[in-house]
Amino acid sequence: MRNALATQLQARHQLKNHPGHSWLDDIRRELDQRARDDIATARSRVHIKGKPASDGQTIAELSFGFWRFLLAKKYATTLWPDLAGAFPHAPNRSRATIEKPIKSLHDFRNRLAHHEPVWNKPLTARQHEIHTVLDAIDPALRAWVTKNCRISALLQGCVFLRPYP
């Protein structure tokens, strides 16, 4: 998702004829302050790690939350028309179609990051959301992940997910 969105943002930036600048520079001030702060923080982390100050390194340092919030309603008329291209296989071009599963996955990831129990959460629904997003980006990607991922087998083996007798 990150790479698909970054590619769309770069293409959008090039169409707007901003040579010598990256979309990360946000010279048109299209991103909100939080997003600009996230980019500054990511660039700082790249510097602290002694890595080359490239867009690729900065993009790698941006959090899942950064990308999730680019899909928020506030960008519906500005960024979304171009960001929709990151999901060429989505059933429609509605922002909400993509935002809903990504928002849910972001919330779930935050629960995991805070070491909250998730065994009693609808884990198969989260897996379905992952598949939905992957399908929207590239069905071949979803097929590859499905083939190589052990999550389905783990979920089927979980006693707590089986109905009680």
Side-chain angles (χ1 to χ4, degrees):
M1 179 187 80
R2 172 193 73 190
N3 292 344
L5 289 171
T7 298
Q8 289 302 120
L9 288 165
Q10 183 59 34
R12 181 179 194 277
H13 187 74
Q14 289 172 346
L15 284 174
K16 303 279 185 191
N17 294 320
H18 297 296
H21 293 280
S22 164
W23 68 267
L24 293 163
D25 297 329
D26 192 30
I27 60 173
R28 298 183 76 209
R29 307 292 279 179
E30 294 177 304
L31 300 174
D32 67 9
Q33 187 61 50
R34 178 178 176 177
R36 288 192 298 275
D37 290 346
D38 287 348
I39 292 167
T41 300
R43 285 179 164 160
S44 177
R45 281 196 298 263
V46 169
H47 177 73
I48 289 167
K49 291 178 178 182
K51 295 184 177 182
S54 67
D55 283 3
Q57 291 293 333
T58 301
I59 288 166
E61 289 291 335
L62 289 167
S63 70
F64 184 41
F66 173 85
W67 302 103
R68 175 261 182 269
F69 285 108
L70 288 181
L71 305 175
K73 188 175 183 178
K74 66 181 149 198
Y75 295 121
T77 60
T78 55
L79 297 181
W80 176 251
D82 294 311
L83 292 180
F87 308 96
H89 303 281
N92 57 56
R93 290 187 56 92
S94 168
R95 183 194 57 76
T97 298
I98 297 300
E99 185 195 23
K100 183 178 178 183
I102 291 173
K103 180 184 184 304
S104 178
L105 290 167
H106 180 247
D107 291 343
F108 181 66
R109 192 220 54 100
N110 285 348
R111 301 293 61 83
L112 289 171
H114 292 111
H115 307 286
E116 294 180 18
V118 296
W119 62 269
N120 59 347
K121 304 294 183 206
L123 301 178
T124 53
R126 300 298 77 82
Q127 182 186 31
H128 177 72
E129 290 162 349
I130 291 168
H131 290 170
T132 297
V133 174
L134 291 173
D135 262 337
I137 295 169
D138 183 355
L141 176 61
R142 189 254 173 123
W144 184 88
V145 168
T146 300
K147 179 182 174 190
N148 293 288
C149 184
R150 298 180 356 181
I151 292 175
S152 293
L154 289 171
L155 290 176
Q156 288 175 359
C158 290
V159 174
F160 57 82
L161 292 177
R162 291 188 206 139
Y164 290 100

